[in-house]
Amino acid sequence: MWLAPEEVLVANALWVTERANPFFVLQRRRGHGQGGGLTGLLVGTLDVVLDSSARVAPYRILHQTQDSQIYWTVASGSSRREITKHWEWLENNLLQTLSIFDNEEDITTFVKGKIHGIIAEENKNLQPQGDEDPGKFKEAELKMRKQFGMPEGEKLVNYYSCSYWKGHMPRQGWLYLTVNHLCFYSFLLGKEVSLVVQWVDVTRLEKNATLLFPESIRVDTREQELFFSMFLNIGETFKLMEQLANLAMRQLLDSEGFLEDKALPTPPRPHRNISALKRDLDARAKNESYRAAFRLPGDERLDGHTSCTLWIPLSKLHVPGQMFLSSNYICFSSKEEDTCRLIIPLREVTIVEKADSCSVLPSPLSISTKSKMTFLFANLKDRDFLVQRISDFLQKMPSKHPGGSGSGRKASIEDQAPEASPAPQEELGQPASPTSRPHGVPTASQGLLKLFPGNMPMEDLGAKGAKEKMKEEWWHIHFFEYGRGVCMYRTAKTRALVLKGIPESLRGELWLLFSGAWNEMVTHPGYYAELVEKSTGKYSLATEEIERDLHRSMPEHPAFQNELGIAALRRVLTAYAFRNPTIGYCQAMNIVTSVLLLYGSEEEAFWLLVALCERMLPDYYNNRVVGALVDQGIFEELTREFLPQLSEKMQALGVIASISLSWFLTLFLSVMPFESAVVIVDCFFYEGIKVVLQVALAILDANMEQLLGCSDEGEAMTVLGRYLDNVVNKQSISPPIPHLHALLTSGDDPPAEVDIFDLLKVSYEKFSSLRAYDIEQMRFKQRLKVIQSLEDTAKRSVVRAIPGDIGFSIEELEDLYVVFKAKHLTSQYWGSGRPGAARRDPSLPYLEQYRIDASQFQELFARLAPWACGTHTPMLAGRMFRLLDRNKDSLITFKEFVTGMSGMYHGDLTDKLKVLYKLHLPPALSSEDAESALEATHYFTEDSSSEEALQQGEREGAGNENIQEKREEKGNSPPDCRHYLQMWAKEKEVQKETIKDLPKMNQEQFIELCKTLYNMFSEDPKEQDLYHAIATVASLLLRIGEVGKRFLGQPGRKPRDTARGDDEPPVPDPPQEPTRELQPAATDDPQAKAGGDTQLGNVPQESQVVGEEGGGEGQCSPSQRLSDDETKDDMSMSSYSSVLVNFFEEKVDIGLKIKEQRKVERQFSTSSDYEQSGVSG
């Protein structure tokens, strides 16, 4: 590339001049290219360790003048071809012009100006493609691509200097982190180490410190463990590696590749050594953390944050913390976790003003809201800029936000004074919004508990009623002191009230606020109603599963013993499946949703379900329940940490895997009495998954002695089930609902009752050290393990689905699957336009998830096929692909791929020849392969190649009509089991195909087969013997075919054509032009002289066919009409047959080819240590 001219004082140090003219010098770096000796060895080592720019560009061009001792760099190149191109341009365009100048200073000035102009023009042309990062980073990216053979589509994110531990020896080098790969390169004193690891293959990634590896990063794959250390900033490196590994796991999970964020603002001064991708990933991490901390919608982006203090009126304290600003929200979080959190939607803001500064309150900022609350921030570093940003965002807000001043629950939430709020019955009796009820569709506009109360009036409940009233009063006091609604101060007192239990009249409202569902519901008015309308009457697999589970959702509750509750549940679940088809519907969603409907309207329950599935319990309800498995792994890890004496016993019994899924997926609603489990749900919406993990640990801790005495899994499950059945809520005002697990307590004396509030108290006292950040770190670690375990399970399932007669061993099939999957993933890395990348559906069966297209198959065929055909290989691969692609969707599955490979590797000589034979017939033979292929295609479509079709030729027209009628009937009739059984039977029949079932081959197709064989033999040690053998065999078969033509062309066979009935249409004569095209092709081949004219008049076109067995069929075999000279050739064919048999029956080890392919695909890390030759003094 062209470089901005820079001075070079010592031009020949560490460089070798290769070309020179009066004005320019082309030089090569010592240590590159051939030889180099000890000097080159040292230079190469220095370049790697010091990362000099010369290491990136081993070639350069300098500008010089005769009398000057100063040189100027004008270009550099990573390859000889690149630098030669620049050199030729200089010679052709500048040498003649420079010779005119008299003054050397003018020459240098002209050259510098010219080079600057070229660079400016290149940058101008590249500008629309994105902001390429200048400086050393771009050089490092070029170095990475050259060193590891990466294509242009592979983007470098960042690179770091570090050491890779090979055995007990550290190898200093450079670690390159790209979007899809981790790469390392080191060159020290002649020893080279090169590593490439795909992120999708990483099974473990952690930062640790041991005596052997001080403060290192460990990267595990299925094959090996890698350790990297001596980082300048190990925290930043590990964080970036985590993000890239997470992206890879997301790609395996739901086929989402990395898409660069085009909306990311460009910094005014881009860093020379930080890529746009690194900024993108950093911004993503901050956005995710921001949204998770304040439960904000998924499209919210953090604009910036600053340190400040917040005045809390009741406490009369300035709480230090951070203010966060995004396009729709202002948020605050105190430094101490539980002190204070605040969320102010900009749609609620009315006034933003700068107050007067004083020593007590420096740089204050006042923000007022519609609910008449005023928030006072102080100690703002750049208050003016912050006010300007808030003003900009406010101007973009709609003048009157939809739903901003709605009725019903909205009014009660935004009203901070308890006296002004309506009574609970009135509040919940109103529709959630004017558009919440679609036309003609009845909806539950309030919580089902209000419609099916089932409890006595509050006055008749005695102590329980008094307790419930006291709770309500506590919350109203809290609303008065800290505000009500979205803008409420969330303090330690708020959490204490949640732990004491939310009163039933406020439960739905507070769930909406704490989960963040309220913000999405207000900003999307009418969205749920539209979904209900669109999804009504639509049928899918999800709706079928929903219908099956509707009556299993809390059947013991009166609200779901009638059609009103069932219909509401159906609409919410169906609307969500329609909104998020990736999740659709998963078992356990019905149980959770039925509880949400008890405390809120349909629309509120829908948005609570959105918050639950998409933010609070990520990936829990997809088809593989990955999120629940991840948290199950966290639970096991926490059990080892907090309850070590119980951990081994639980692992031995296998209990954790059985209990945790039901506990986590339903938030204890399916295993605990409803009135108790709903208290855990209260805490969950406020605290997140932390509460569920704490309660699960507390349950194990409470039953430790009994669990340690259990002898099997069933006994342990009974102990836990009996305990959970007796967790009671003595403060509940609802009548107890019979629990499905109550049968476990029958018989023996039930265990003592456990109050749910006591259980929560114990869980916080013993296990409150859990932090949200620690849980996220553990989730990342477990996600790697879970997804890779699922991938291994998928691999085993696919291998088991392959028929046993395929010929490959289990290990070979697994290796082939890994290579096949890697080829599919590369289409997602660098070929987003390919159909294989666009059509992957994770919901499909494992056998059909990964598919490859023709170009990918061609690459695999070239490296894995046992038949090397040189330049003919791509054509043969294309034919094999068309043969395997039976459904004509331009993609093949792993089963089809293995079937094709097995045909070439396994079976006897006949089986392999059958594969070759089929590759030279339609549909494998395409029109592009040879000029005569159109004739072959026409031949096989116009006339059947079997004798049976000829004998029934007079009924061909009627037969076609019958076939068409059957196809129409099949298209109109619904498929049934018999139809699929017939399809499977036909598949098995195809596998039993014999030589007689194969269609016949015409002369042109046979010649194509001969060409393929010639190419296959070109690289064999017995090349000449094989050439002679195939020449003799091909010549004899073609002459036999010519005799067959003459025999079939005799007049004695013509009466067949006149044997038709008078009413039947005459069979058209075969077209003559294709026949004329056939002749030159046959006579041009020296081995295929076939003499004789083929103008056969009305003879059917089958007369041009030569059978695989070499003989025609009829009343008398044409082979009997051969002359004595022709039969002598049969002797020579027999003498050469052993050479051909040995070639096709030679065993080829596919394992070696797979290893080579995996190196090419960078499927596992490869490292090489070798001494450079030519080391001398």
Side-chain angles (χ1 to χ4, degrees), residues 105-160:
E105 291 184 3
D106 293 342
I107 294 175
T108 301
T109 303
F110 179 81
V111 170
K112 290 165 66 176
K114 190 68 177 176
I115 299 301
H116 279 300
I118 294 173
I119 294 173
E121 189 65 27
E122 286 183 347
N123 291 339
K124 180 181 178 182
N125 294 335
L126 292 175
Q127 195 65 29
Q129 301 176 4
D131 52 339
E132 288 290 331
D133 298 305
K136 292 183 65 178
F137 184 86
K138 189 174 182 180
E139 295 177 353
E141 189 167 41
L142 292 173
K143 172 182 174 181
M144 178 272 298
R145 289 184 184 147
K146 174 180 178 291
Q147 189 63 53
F148 303 103
M150 298 288 181
E152 291 289 329
E154 185 67 2
K155 300 292 187 182
L156 179 65
V157 181
N158 214 345
Y159 66 105
Y160 302 93

Coordinates of all heavy atoms in Angstrom, one line a residue, residues 105-160:
E105 N 15.6 18.9 -4.8 CA 14.5 19.3 -3.9 C 13.2 19.3 -4.6 O 12.2 18.9 -4.0 CB 14.8 20.6 -3.2 CG 16.0 20.6 -2.3 CD 16.2 21.9 -1.6 OE1 15.3 22.8 -1.8 OE2 17.2 22.1 -0.8
D106 N 13.2 19.8 -5.8 CA 11.9 19.8 -6.6 C 11.5 18.4 -6.9 O 10.3 18.1 -6.8 CB 12.1 20.6 -7.9 CG 12.3 22.0 -7.6 OD1 12.0 22.5 -6.5 OD2 12.8 22.7 -8.6
I107 N 12.4 17.5 -7.1 CA 12.1 16.1 -7.4 C 11.4 15.5 -6.2 O 10.3 14.9 -6.2 CB 13.3 15.3 -7.8 CG1 13.9 15.8 -9.1 CG2 13.0 13.8 -7.8 CD1 15.2 15.1 -9.5
T108 N 12.0 15.7 -5.0 CA 11.5 15.1 -3.8 C 10.1 15.7 -3.4 O 9.2 15.0 -3.0 CB 12.5 15.4 -2.6 OG1 13.7 14.8 -2.9 CG2 11.9 14.8 -1.3
T109 N 10.0 17.0 -3.6 CA 8.7 17.7 -3.4 C 7.6 17.1 -4.3 O 6.5 16.8 -3.8 CB 8.8 19.2 -3.5 OG1 9.8 19.7 -2.7 CG2 7.5 19.9 -3.2
F110 N 8.0 16.9 -5.6 CA 7.0 16.4 -6.5 C 6.6 15.0 -6.1 O 5.4 14.6 -6.2 CB 7.6 16.4 -7.9 CG 6.7 15.9 -9.0 CD1 5.7 16.6 -9.5 CD2 6.8 14.5 -9.4 CE1 4.8 16.1 -10.5 CE2 6.0 14.0 -10.4 CZ 5.0 14.8 -10.9
V111 N 7.5 14.1 -5.8 CA 7.2 12.7 -5.4 C 6.3 12.7 -4.2 O 5.3 12.0 -4.2 CB 8.5 11.9 -5.2 CG1 8.2 10.6 -4.6 CG2 9.3 11.8 -6.5
K112 N 6.7 13.5 -3.2 CA 5.8 13.5 -2.0 C 4.4 14.0 -2.3 O 3.4 13.4 -1.8 CB 6.5 14.4 -0.9 CG 7.8 13.8 -0.3 CD 8.6 14.8 0.4 CE 7.9 15.3 1.7 NZ 8.8 16.2 2.5
G113 N 4.3 15.0 -3.1 CA 3.0 15.5 -3.4 C 2.2 14.5 -4.2 O 1.0 14.3 -4.0
K114 N 2.9 13.8 -5.1 CA 2.2 12.8 -5.9 C 1.7 11.6 -5.0 O 0.5 11.1 -5.2 CB 3.1 12.2 -7.0 CG 2.5 11.3 -8.0 CD 1.5 12.1 -8.9 CE 0.9 11.3 -10.0 NZ -0.1 12.1 -10.8
I115 N 2.5 11.1 -4.1 CA 2.1 10.0 -3.2 C 1.0 10.5 -2.3 O 0.0 9.7 -2.1 CB 3.3 9.6 -2.4 CG1 4.4 9.0 -3.3 CG2 2.9 8.5 -1.4 CD1 4.0 7.9 -4.2
H116 N 1.0 11.7 -1.8 CA -0.1 12.2 -0.9 C -1.4 12.2 -1.7 O -2.4 11.9 -1.2 CB 0.3 13.6 -0.4 CG 1.2 13.5 0.8 ND1 0.8 12.9 2.0 CD2 2.4 14.1 1.0 CE1 1.8 13.0 2.9 NE2 2.7 13.7 2.3
G117 N -1.3 12.6 -3.0 CA -2.5 12.6 -3.8 C -3.0 11.3 -4.1 O -4.3 11.1 -4.1
I118 N -2.2 10.3 -4.3 CA -2.7 8.9 -4.5 C -3.4 8.4 -3.3 O -4.5 7.8 -3.3 CB -1.5 8.0 -4.9 CG1 -0.9 8.4 -6.2 CG2 -1.9 6.5 -4.9 CD1 0.4 7.6 -6.6
I119 N -2.8 8.6 -2.1 CA -3.4 8.2 -0.8 C -4.7 8.9 -0.6 O -5.7 8.2 -0.2 CB -2.4 8.5 0.3 CG1 -1.1 7.6 0.2 CG2 -3.1 8.2 1.7 CD1 -0.1 8.0 1.2
A120 N -4.8 10.2 -0.9 CA -6.0 10.9 -0.7 C -7.1 10.3 -1.6 O -8.3 10.2 -1.2 CB -5.8 12.4 -1.0
E121 N -6.7 10.0 -2.9 CA -7.7 9.4 -3.8 C -8.2 8.1 -3.3 O -9.4 7.7 -3.4 CB -7.1 9.3 -5.2 CG -8.0 9.0 -6.3 CD -9.1 10.1 -6.5 OE1 -8.8 11.2 -6.3 OE2 -10.2 9.7 -7.0
E122 N -7.3 7.2 -2.8 CA -7.7 5.9 -2.3 C -8.6 6.0 -1.1 O -9.6 5.3 -1.1 CB -6.4 5.1 -1.9 CG -5.6 4.6 -3.1 CD -4.5 3.7 -2.7 OE1 -4.2 3.7 -1.5 OE2 -3.9 3.0 -3.5
N123 N -8.3 6.9 -0.2 CA -9.1 7.1 0.9 C -10.5 7.6 0.6 O -11.5 7.3 1.2 CB -8.5 8.1 1.9 CG -7.2 7.5 2.6 OD1 -7.1 6.3 2.6 ND2 -6.4 8.4 3.1
K124 N -10.5 8.5 -0.5 CA -11.8 9.0 -0.9 C -12.7 7.9 -1.5 O -13.9 7.8 -1.3 CB -11.6 10.1 -2.0 CG -12.8 10.7 -2.6 CD -12.5 11.7 -3.6 CE -13.8 12.3 -4.3 NZ -13.5 13.3 -5.3
N125 N -12.0 6.9 -2.2 CA -12.8 5.8 -2.8 C -13.3 4.8 -1.7 O -14.3 4.2 -1.9 CB -11.9 5.1 -3.8 CG -11.6 6.0 -5.0 OD1 -12.4 6.9 -5.4 ND2 -10.5 5.7 -5.7
L126 N -12.5 4.7 -0.7 CA -12.8 3.8 0.4 C -13.8 4.3 1.4 O -14.4 3.6 2.2 CB -11.6 3.3 1.1 CG -10.6 2.4 0.3 CD1 -9.3 2.2 1.1 CD2 -11.2 1.1 -0.1
Q127 N -14.0 5.6 1.4 CA -14.8 6.3 2.5 C -16.2 5.7 2.6 O -16.7 5.5 3.7 CB -14.8 7.8 2.2 CG -15.3 8.6 3.4 CD -14.4 8.5 4.6 OE1 -13.2 8.3 4.4 NE2 -14.9 8.6 5.8
P128 N -16.9 5.5 1.4 CA -18.3 5.1 1.6 C -18.4 3.7 2.2 O -19.5 3.3 2.7 CB -18.8 5.1 0.1 CG -17.9 6.0 -0.6 CD -16.6 5.8 0.1
Q129 N -17.4 2.9 2.2 CA -17.5 1.5 2.7 C -17.4 1.5 4.2 O -17.5 0.4 4.8 CB -16.3 0.7 2.1 CG -16.4 0.6 0.6 CD -15.2 -0.1 0.0 OE1 -14.4 -0.7 0.7 NE2 -15.1 -0.1 -1.3
G130 N -17.1 2.5 4.8 CA -17.0 2.5 6.3 C -15.7 3.2 6.8 O -14.8 3.4 6.0
D131 N -15.7 3.5 8.0 CA -14.5 4.2 8.6 C -13.4 3.2 8.9 O -13.4 2.6 10.0 CB -14.9 5.0 9.8 CG -15.6 4.2 10.8 OD1 -16.1 3.1 10.5 OD2 -15.6 4.6 12.0
E132 N -12.5 3.0 7.9 CA -11.4 2.1 8.2 C -10.5 2.8 9.2 O -10.1 4.0 9.0 CB -10.6 1.8 6.9 CG -11.4 0.9 6.0 CD -11.4 -0.5 6.5 OE1 -10.5 -0.9 7.2 OE2 -12.4 -1.2 6.2
D133 N -10.0 2.0 10.1 CA -9.2 2.6 11.2 C -7.7 2.8 10.7 O -7.2 1.8 10.1 CB -9.2 1.7 12.4 CG -10.6 1.6 13.0 OD1 -11.2 2.7 13.3 OD2 -11.1 0.5 13.1
P134 N -7.2 3.9 10.9 CA -5.8 4.2 10.3 C -4.8 3.6 11.3 O -5.0 3.0 12.3 CB -5.8 5.7 10.3 CG -6.6 6.1 11.5 CD -7.7 5.1 11.6
G135 N -3.5 3.9 10.9 CA -2.4 3.6 11.8 C -2.0 2.1 11.9 O -2.3 1.3 11.0
K136 N -1.4 1.8 13.1 CA -0.9 0.5 13.3 C -2.0 -0.6 13.2 O -1.7 -1.8 12.9 CB -0.2 0.4 14.6 CG 1.1 1.2 14.6 CD 1.9 1.1 15.9 CE 2.4 -0.3 16.1 NZ 3.1 -0.5 17.4
F137 N -3.2 -0.3 13.6 CA -4.2 -1.3 13.6 C -4.5 -1.9 12.2 O -4.6 -3.1 12.0 CB -5.5 -0.7 14.2 CG -6.6 -1.7 14.3 CD1 -6.7 -2.5 15.4 CD2 -7.5 -1.9 13.3 CE1 -7.7 -3.5 15.5 CE2 -8.5 -2.9 13.4 CZ -8.6 -3.7 14.5
K138 N -4.5 -1.0 11.2 CA -4.7 -1.5 9.8 C -3.6 -2.4 9.4 O -3.8 -3.4 8.7 CB -4.9 -0.3 8.9 CG -5.3 -0.7 7.5 CD -5.6 0.6 6.7 CE -6.1 0.2 5.3 NZ -6.4 1.4 4.5
E139 N -2.4 -2.0 9.8 CA -1.2 -2.8 9.5 C -1.3 -4.2 10.1 O -1.0 -5.2 9.6 CB 0.1 -2.1 9.9 CG 0.3 -0.8 9.2 CD 1.6 -0.1 9.7 OE1 2.1 -0.6 10.7 OE2 2.0 0.9 9.1
A140 N -1.8 -4.2 11.4 CA -1.9 -5.5 12.1 C -3.0 -6.3 11.4 O -2.9 -7.6 11.4 CB -2.3 -5.2 13.6
E141 N -4.1 -5.7 10.9 CA -5.1 -6.5 10.2 C -4.5 -7.2 9.0 O -4.8 -8.3 8.7 CB -6.3 -5.6 9.9 CG -7.5 -6.4 9.4 CD -8.7 -5.5 9.4 OE1 -8.6 -4.3 9.0 OE2 -9.8 -6.0 9.7
L142 N -3.7 -6.4 8.2 CA -3.1 -7.0 7.0 C -2.2 -8.1 7.4 O -2.1 -9.2 6.7 CB -2.3 -5.9 6.3 CG -3.1 -4.8 5.6 CD1 -2.2 -3.7 5.1 CD2 -4.0 -5.3 4.5
K143 N -1.4 -7.9 8.5 CA -0.5 -9.0 9.0 C -1.3 -10.2 9.3 O -0.9 -11.4 9.0 CB 0.3 -8.4 10.2 CG 1.1 -9.5 10.9 CD 1.8 -8.8 12.1 CE 2.5 -9.8 12.9 NZ 3.1 -9.1 14.1
M144 N -2.4 -10.1 10.0 CA -3.2 -11.2 10.4 C -3.7 -12.0 9.2 O -3.7 -13.2 9.2 CB -4.4 -10.7 11.3 CG -5.4 -11.8 11.8 SD -6.7 -12.1 10.6 CE -7.6 -10.5 10.6
R145 N -4.2 -11.3 8.2 CA -4.8 -12.0 7.1 C -3.7 -12.7 6.3 O -3.9 -13.8 5.8 CB -5.5 -10.9 6.2 CG -6.8 -10.4 6.7 CD -7.5 -9.5 5.8 NE -8.7 -9.0 6.4 CZ -9.2 -7.8 6.2 NH1 -8.6 -7.0 5.3 NH2 -10.3 -7.3 6.8
K146 N -2.5 -12.1 6.2 CA -1.4 -12.7 5.5 C -0.9 -14.0 6.2 O -0.7 -15.0 5.7 CB -0.3 -11.7 5.3 CG 1.0 -12.3 4.7 CD 2.0 -11.3 4.5 CE 3.3 -11.9 3.9 NZ 4.0 -12.8 4.9
Q147 N -0.8 -13.8 7.5 CA -0.2 -14.9 8.4 C -1.1 -16.1 8.5 O -0.6 -17.2 8.4 CB 0.1 -14.4 9.8 CG 0.9 -15.3 10.6 CD 2.3 -15.6 10.0 OE1 3.0 -14.7 9.7 NE2 2.6 -16.8 9.8
F148 N -2.4 -15.9 8.6 CA -3.3 -17.0 8.8 C -4.2 -17.3 7.6 O -5.1 -18.1 7.8 CB -4.2 -16.7 10.1 CG -3.4 -16.4 11.3 CD1 -3.2 -15.1 11.8 CD2 -2.8 -17.5 12.0 CE1 -2.4 -14.9 12.9 CE2 -2.0 -17.2 13.1 CZ -1.8 -15.9 13.6
G149 N -4.0 -16.6 6.5 CA -4.8 -16.9 5.3 C -6.3 -16.6 5.4 O -7.1 -17.2 4.9
M150 N -6.6 -15.5 6.2 CA -8.0 -15.1 6.4 C -8.5 -14.3 5.2 O -7.7 -13.5 4.7 CB -8.2 -14.3 7.7 CG -7.8 -15.1 8.9 SD -9.0 -16.3 9.3 CE -8.3 -17.0 10.8
P151 N -9.8 -14.4 4.8 CA -10.3 -13.6 3.7 C -10.6 -12.2 4.2 O -10.5 -11.9 5.4 CB -11.6 -14.4 3.4 CG -12.0 -15.0 4.6 CD -10.7 -15.4 5.3
E152 N -11.0 -11.4 3.2 CA -11.3 -10.0 3.5 C -12.5 -9.8 4.5 O -12.6 -8.9 5.3 CB -11.6 -9.2 2.2 CG -10.4 -9.0 1.3 CD -9.4 -8.0 1.9 OE1 -9.9 -7.1 2.6 OE2 -8.2 -8.2 1.6
G153 N -13.4 -10.8 4.5 CA -14.5 -10.7 5.3 C -14.3 -10.9 6.8 O -15.1 -10.6 7.6
E154 N -13.1 -11.5 7.1 CA -12.8 -11.7 8.5 C -12.2 -10.4 9.1 O -11.1 -10.0 8.8 CB -11.8 -12.9 8.7 CG -11.5 -13.2 10.1 CD -12.7 -13.8 10.8 OE1 -13.8 -14.0 10.2 OE2 -12.6 -14.2 12.0
K155 N -12.9 -9.8 10.1 CA -12.5 -8.5 10.6 C -11.7 -8.7 11.9 O -12.2 -9.4 12.8 CB -13.8 -7.6 10.9 CG -14.6 -7.4 9.6 CD -13.8 -6.4 8.7 CE -14.7 -6.0 7.5 NZ -14.0 -5.2 6.6
L156 N -10.7 -8.0 12.0 CA -9.9 -8.0 13.3 C -10.6 -7.0 14.3 O -10.9 -5.9 13.9 CB -8.4 -7.5 13.0 CG -7.5 -7.4 14.2 CD1 -7.3 -8.8 14.8 CD2 -6.2 -6.8 13.8
V157 N -10.7 -7.5 15.5 CA -11.3 -6.7 16.5 C -10.3 -6.0 17.3 O -10.3 -4.8 17.6 CB -12.3 -7.5 17.5 CG1 -12.9 -6.6 18.5 CG2 -13.3 -8.2 16.6
N158 N -9.2 -6.7 17.8 CA -8.1 -6.1 18.5 C -7.0 -7.1 18.6 O -7.2 -8.3 18.3 CB -8.5 -5.6 19.9 CG -7.7 -4.4 20.3 OD1 -6.7 -4.0 19.7 ND2 -8.2 -3.7 21.3
Y159 N -5.8 -6.7 18.9 CA -4.6 -7.6 19.0 C -3.8 -7.2 20.2 O -3.8 -6.0 20.6 CB -3.8 -7.5 17.7 CG -3.1 -6.2 17.4 CD1 -1.7 -6.1 17.6 CD2 -3.8 -5.1 17.0 CE1 -1.1 -4.9 17.4 CE2 -3.2 -3.9 16.7 CZ -1.9 -3.8 16.9 OH -1.2 -2.6 16.6
Y160 N -3.2 -8.1 20.8 CA -2.4 -7.9 22.1 C -1.1 -8.7 22.1 O -1.0 -9.8 21.5 CB -3.3 -8.4 23.3 CG -4.6 -7.7 23.4 CD1 -5.8 -8.3 22.8 CD2 -4.8 -6.5 24.1 CE1 -7.0 -7.7 22.9 CE2 -6.0 -5.9 24.2 CZ -7.1 -6.5 23.6 OH -8.4 -5.9 23.7

